[in-house]
Amino acid sequence: MSQLRFDGKVVVITGAGNGLGKEYALFFGKRGAKVVVNDLGGSMKGTGASSSAADKVVDEIKAAGGVAVANYDSVEFGEKVIDTAIKAFGKIDILINNAGILRDVSFEKMKDEDWDLIYRVHLKGTYSCTKAAWPYMREQKYGRIINTSSASGVYGVFGQNKLLCCQDGEGLKRNILVNSICPVAASRLTETVMSKELLANLKPEFVVPLVGVLSHDDSKETGAIYELGAGYISKLRWQRNQGYFFDTPFTPEDVRDKWEQVAGFGDNVCYPQTSSEIFEIFFNKEDFIKQQKEGKTSTAQTQQTTQAPSVNLKADKIFGLMKAFLDRGEGKEFIPKIQGVFNFEIITQKGGPVVKSWVIDLKNGQGGIKEGKESADATFTMIDDDFEKVCLGKLQANEAFLKGQMKIKGNMKKATLFTPSLFPAPTPDNLAKYSQPKL
């Protein structure tokens, strides 16, 4: 099996003078990347500064035959950190937001100074470095960003207030993938709160393999959160319980009396992926309440894993019409206005598997349509019958979205620019017209 290499890539690692950051830097240096080793050289509490930590790691990388330069700026000045990569190597491909400090104090006893330092390093530092790297990644249509949090950032731990950042969507169409990790590893930050026996099993190098995978060209993962340590890796995700629909109006006492249904998790759960999915529940109240009384899982939350059946789709003729329309050059006037690529997934029943997919290119040339799926600005998912209704004007697109009949993932702003009304309605006359070669 081939080794994951990073030849020609430029990686910036913050807080790389010790612990996890140092391990990342040594790894990327050995695997062919050009490394910017950032470290302010301060204490684990965020005070002081020194160039020695970064310099030692750079020397170690060079001694092993690698290429590296040091940067000593605070991560709150992200433009200076990234500028080091640009001046030394001409680009930035991978950013590992690893810098962190520890202010081990409860919220009640926390001082403004404690909060300010945590904010400046953990939140502003991540934002500042990512913001500075983003234009370069956007221009080259490539980037890998790993943000770092911890179990205390996800679950909360007494005395430790941390922040979790994980971006998605905006960068995906430009091949900029962003993920977050919550590592548990031996370091200056953990040696004061963990025993030597425990730390012996939490070597920093056990975290490196996941970072390597998420940072590689082959990675397709984005928007994910991983918890890992001691050789164990797991992915976290959002989960929604069955919930409860009240007859309106209702009172605090009603909520109290149904608290188990509101707050408890039983067998009927789902795993939401987009903010629009909740509207499918809102606008299917009657069906939800009926199934609620029967003790069944809501249709809106049913997860299907069956194979897509072979069926005749109305969408086949509709996309055929749209393709002919574009092939004739009749849509070229709206291509400059939309400048987007869209995936359309057609299903035959709510919660069912995708039966067929199409790619609508309204960005290049005179536009085009083909079967399949590729990187796109937005992905639409609809039931075949509902898609026909929208195309015929019998169902408004915004109504379909609010009722959960049209699901959209990706760039919502770009998605609003696309509407089937751009194309001729799939009436019998139009279907016949566009099935014939243009004279």
Side-chain angles (χ1 to χ4, degrees):
M1 188 174 293
S2 62
Q3 186 184 64
L4 294 181
R5 298 285 302 176
F6 296 86
D7 300 291
K9 299 300 184 186
V10 176
V11 56
V12 173
I13 305 164
T14 66
N18 295 280
L20 283 170
K22 177 181 178 180
E23 293 298 327
Y24 299 149
L26 296 176
F27 166 79
F28 282 108
K30 291 176 182 177
R31 296 293 180 101
K34 298 174 182 177
V35 184
V36 175
V37 179
N38 160 265
D39 202 292
L40 180 64
S43 71
M44 68 176 184
K45 292 186 176 181
T47 58
S50 171
S51 63
S52 62
D55 287 340
K56 289 178 181 178
V57 177
V58 169
D59 290 342
E60 192 169 343
I61 292 173
K62 290 181 176 180
V67 179
V69 296
N71 173 274
Y72 317 114
D73 293 295
S74 168
V75 289
E76 61 186 306
F77 305 111
E79 68 281 359
K80 295 182 180 180
V81 177
I82 301 303
D83 192 50
T84 298
I86 303 304
K87 288 181 177 178
F89 306 122
K91 63 173 183 172
I92 164 68
D93 297 302
I94 302 167
L95 171 62
I96 312 294
N97 285 310
N98 170 75
I101 60 173
L102 180 67
R103 307 291 286 191
D104 200 14
V105 59
S106 67
F107 183 76
E108 182 180 2
K109 296 180 179 180
M110 178 178 282
K111 299 177 181 178
D112 289 347
E113 178 188 4
D114 297 316
W115 166 253
D116 289 343
L117 280 170
I118 290 289
Y119 163 77
R120 282 159 48 193
V121 176
H122 289 246
L123 183 57
K124 187 179 180 182
T126 296
Y127 160 79
S128 185
C129 291
T130 303
K131 181 72 171 178
W134 198 265
Y136 298 103
M137 293 180 172
R138 178 189 172 104
E139 180 67 23
Q140 67 195 16
K141 295 184 178 179
Y142 182 89
R144 300 289 185 268
I145 301 173
I146 309 295
N147 293 327
T148 306
S149 185
S150 68
S152 61
V154 175
Y155 307 111
V157 174
F158 184 81
Q160 297 180 30
N161 298 277
K162 296 192 176 182
L163 301 155
L164 173 66
C165 296
C166 189
Q167 300 126 287
D168 186 23
E170 184 179 346
L172 179 59
K173 63 183 179 181
R174 294 181 176 85
N175 196 22
I176 304 174
L177 309 183
V178 186
N179 294 283
S180 285
I181 61 171
C182 303
V184 182
S187 70
R188 294 189 304 167
L189 305 188
T190 55
E191 64 185 10
T192 61
V193 295
M194 295 182 182
S195 67
K196 291 182 179 181
E197 292 75 18
L198 183 57
L199 291 171
N201 294 313
L202 296 172
K203 294 181 179 180
E205 52 263 41
F206 296 159
V207 175
V208 173
L210 174 63
V211 172
V213 169
L214 295 177
S215 302
H216 197 262
D217 280 350
D218 295 341
S219 176
K220 304 299 181 185
E221 187 76 284
T222 193
I225 305 172
Y226 287 88
E227 194 172 15
L228 69 160
Y232 172 79
I233 302 174
S234 63
K235 183 177 180 179
L236 305 182
R237 66 182 178 186
W238 297 109
Q239 184 183 66
R240 180 190 293 136
N241 72 358
Q242 173 72 2
Y244 189 84
F245 235 130
F246 293 90
D247 290 328
T248 55
F250 61 106
T251 67
E253 290 74 27
D254 293 327
V255 176
R256 176 199 62 199
D257 294 343
K258 291 294 184 181
W259 190 248
E260 180 58 34
Q261 290 90 327
V262 169
F265 282 84
D267 295 331
N268 295 335
V269 297
C270 70
Y271 307 96
Q273 299 293 317
T274 67
S275 58
S276 64
E277 292 179 41
I278 192 67
F279 288 98
E280 187 173 355
I281 297 175
F282 293 164
F283 290 96
N284 286 276
K285 180 176 181 179
E286 292 183 3
D287 289 343
F288 192 100
I289 290 178
K290 179 181 178 181
Q291 295 187 47
Q292 182 174 276
K293 291 178 179 178
E294 295 174 352
K296 298 179 180 179
T297 303
S298 167
T299 302
Q301 303 195 73
T302 300
Q303 301 291 312
Q304 297 285 347
T305 57
T306 57
Q307 293 295 314
S310 178
V311 296
N312 293 320
L313 298 173
K314 298 172 182 176
D316 280 314
K317 293 183 178 180
I318 296 173
F319 282 112
L321 182 157
M322 291 180 174
K323 183 179 188 303
F325 177 80
L326 292 176
D327 289 346
R328 294 183 182 190
E330 296 180 24
K332 59 184 178 182
E333 72 279 356
F334 57 68
I335 301 298
K337 300 176 183 178
I338 297 178
Q339 283 294 288
V341 178
F342 308 94
N343 287 325
F344 256 87
E345 299 177 337
I346 299 299
I347 58 179
T348 57
Q349 61 181 3
K350 186 181 293 185
V354 175
V355 177
K356 207 168 186 179
S357 299
W358 284 265
V359 180
I360 303 180
D361 182 352
L362 300 182
K363 183 176 183 180
N364 301 295
Q366 63 183 22
I369 293 180
K370 63 182 180 181
E371 290 185 21
K373 188 176 182 180
E374 62 183 39
S375 179
D377 294 285
T379 297
F380 297 79
T381 304
M382 293 193 72
I383 293 175
D384 191 44
D385 288 340
D386 292 336
F387 178 63
E388 181 190 44
K389 290 177 183 177
V390 169
C391 293
L392 288 170
K394 296 180 180 180
L395 174 64
Q396 294 299 311
N398 60 347
E399 179 185 357
F401 174 73
L402 291 174
K403 289 185 175 181
Q405 293 169 281
M406 175 192 291
K407 293 186 177 181
I408 304 175
K409 295 180 181 179
N411 187 328
M412 295 298 292
K413 182 178 181 180
K414 186 69 73 172
T416 60
L417 298 177
F418 176 83
T419 170
S421 64
L422 294 168
F423 298 88
T427 62
D429 287 345
N430 282 333
L431 288 170
K433 174 184 176 181
Y434 285 95
S435 66
Q436 302 296 324
K438 186 178 180 180
L439 299 178

